[in-house]
Amino acid sequence: MTEHSRLHSIPGGRDDRPRRPELAAPEPLWREVLGERLRSLRREQRETLVETAGRAGISPQYLSEVERGRKEPSSEMIAALAGALGTTLGGLTEQVAEELRARRAPVRRTQAAPTLLLRAA
């Protein structure tokens, strides 16, 4: 996928091109870890995309995209998927948060230029 020439990275956001090779890889995005956890839960129950998606009220194609971290589902959609997989929204959120904590790279303090934040009027 090519980037639009007018789009810029958000400071502190995910950037697929490392600025300096000595820095650690970027942290995974929430939607990526959520998708991995949903897929893991579904496979533990030996279910197909069609079965789980049907109970959650979504298409198998959409569930596949969520599991691959391509789509950012709404909180209502996450709750429906959690219920379809026999857990709660809170339980699923805790599982994803634990995985994110486990993957957290050590923070390296560097001498960075101050970030300027602008407020919309």
Side-chain angles (χ1 to χ4, degrees):
M1 185 160 99
T2 61
E3 291 188 32
H4 192 278
S5 62
R6 293 179 58 189
L7 297 178
H8 303 283
S9 295
I10 297 171
R14 182 174 178 176
D15 187 354
D16 291 334
R17 297 161 307 197
R19 293 179 190 260
R20 288 187 250 152
E22 70 271 7
L23 295 178
E27 287 186 286
L29 296 176
W30 166 264
R31 71 172 184 258
E32 294 170 343
V33 178
L34 172 66
E36 290 169 11
R37 187 65 194 135
L38 290 169
R39 178 172 282 168
S40 176
L41 287 170
R42 180 178 60 78
R43 287 182 172 170
E44 286 171 12
Q45 297 175 20
R46 299 180 195 272
E47 289 194 352
T48 65
L49 284 166
V50 172
E51 292 167 332
T52 303
R55 277 199 320 283
I58 62 174
S59 73
Q61 294 82 4
Y62 184 76
L63 176 55
S64 175
E65 290 187 76
V66 169
E67 285 186 353
R68 289 180 289 134
R70 303 267 195 254
K71 294 288 184 183
E72 186 88 49
S74 67
S75 58
E76 291 87 359
M77 189 65 60
I78 297 169
L81 286 165
L85 291 166
T87 188
T88 63
L89 178 60
L92 180 60
T93 301
E94 287 174 1
Q95 293 170 29
V96 173
E98 286 173 15
E99 181 62 27
L100 284 168
R101 277 189 215 100
R103 292 186 190 186
R104 182 176 43 204
V107 177
R108 299 182 92 189
R109 300 267 182 214
T110 60
Q111 294 277 335
T115 303
L116 176 64
L117 297 176
L118 301 176
R119 258 181 51 189

